[in-house]
Amino acid sequence: MSNRHLARTIAVQALYQWDFNDRTEDIDTILNNDKESFAPDFDDGGFISHLVHGVADNQTEIDDLITKYAPEWPLDQITIIDRNVLRMGVFELKYDPNIPAKVAINEAIELAKNFGGESSGKFVNGVLGAVYKEVGEKEIDKKKAAAADAETMAAEKAKDAAPTN
């Protein structure tokens, strides 16, 4: 399991517990307990805290987007795990400029499949795909696409310049 995936797993567990207890417990206490329980020697460089606090700080706007793109599902009827996977995915898509959209969506789908129900992955994919269409392409995605295009062009030039027998 990659470090970022482990960090997201711990973050979603902390968010789940926080939400399950009606957000009455201190989020940092929950986070520290989860880190100690699940990965005591794991140095995530603050990424878990970034995710958890990012979701908590932007929860109203995040929940509005989820409600907008899952209109058949009132927020309180979405399972706690799916709701918090979605929250984290929306946070990464909309508020974190350093996480490529594809990574945010794929990681959320994997978390939903691992911890949610039978159709959680599809549900999360559908909602986050719609959110992505609204928020648009991120700068990091544009830079990666430009770098890939440049690499392809360089490879084609090298191929054209290669001597033929």
Side-chain angles (χ1 to χ4, degrees):
M1 180 182 298
S2 76
N3 286 344
R4 286 282 173 114
H5 186 74
L6 176 59
R8 286 181 178 93
T9 300
I10 294 169
V12 84
Q13 289 170 329
L15 289 166
Y16 176 96
Q17 185 176 349
W18 184 60
D19 193 14
F20 183 82
N21 291 310
D22 296 320
R23 297 174 301 282
T24 57
E25 282 187 65
D26 177 61
I27 193 77
D28 287 317
T29 301
I30 294 169
L31 180 57
N32 290 333
N33 287 339
D34 285 352
K35 283 172 66 174
E36 187 61 34
S37 295
F38 299 113
D41 299 324
F42 177 52
D43 179 12
D44 65 301
F47 186 59
I48 300 169
S49 180
H50 167 72
L51 293 173
V52 169
H53 285 281
V55 169
D57 293 346
N58 297 288
Q59 184 184 338
T60 301
E61 295 87 3
I62 290 169
D63 286 354
D64 288 346
L65 279 170
I66 295 169
T67 301
K68 180 177 179 179
Y69 291 109
E72 302 85 25
W73 290 92
L75 203 58
D76 63 343
Q77 290 183 13
I78 297 173
T79 65
I80 297 173
I81 192 67
D82 290 353
R83 183 169 57 230
N84 286 287
V85 167
L86 281 169
R87 284 175 175 157
M88 199 165 68
V90 170
F91 168 73
E92 288 191 273
L93 275 175
K94 184 170 172 82
Y95 298 98
D96 191 327
N98 300 313
I99 304 294
K102 186 176 182 178
V103 171
I105 293 170
N106 287 342
E107 285 288 329
I109 292 167
E110 284 305 309
L111 289 169
K113 286 179 179 178
N114 289 335
F115 297 108
E118 189 177 304
S119 61
S120 293
K122 291 178 184 178
F123 177 65
V124 166
N125 184 35
V127 174
L128 292 181
V131 170
Y132 173 73
K133 286 179 183 175
E134 177 174 309
V135 300
E137 192 173 28
K138 297 166 83 170
E139 280 303 311
I140 193 166
D141 294 320
K142 291 175 187 175
K143 288 177 183 175
K144 284 188 175 223
D149 288 346
E151 191 174 299
T152 300
M153 287 176 54
E156 287 175 4
K157 273 188 175 181
K159 182 181 169 187
D160 291 343
T164 58
N165 292 336

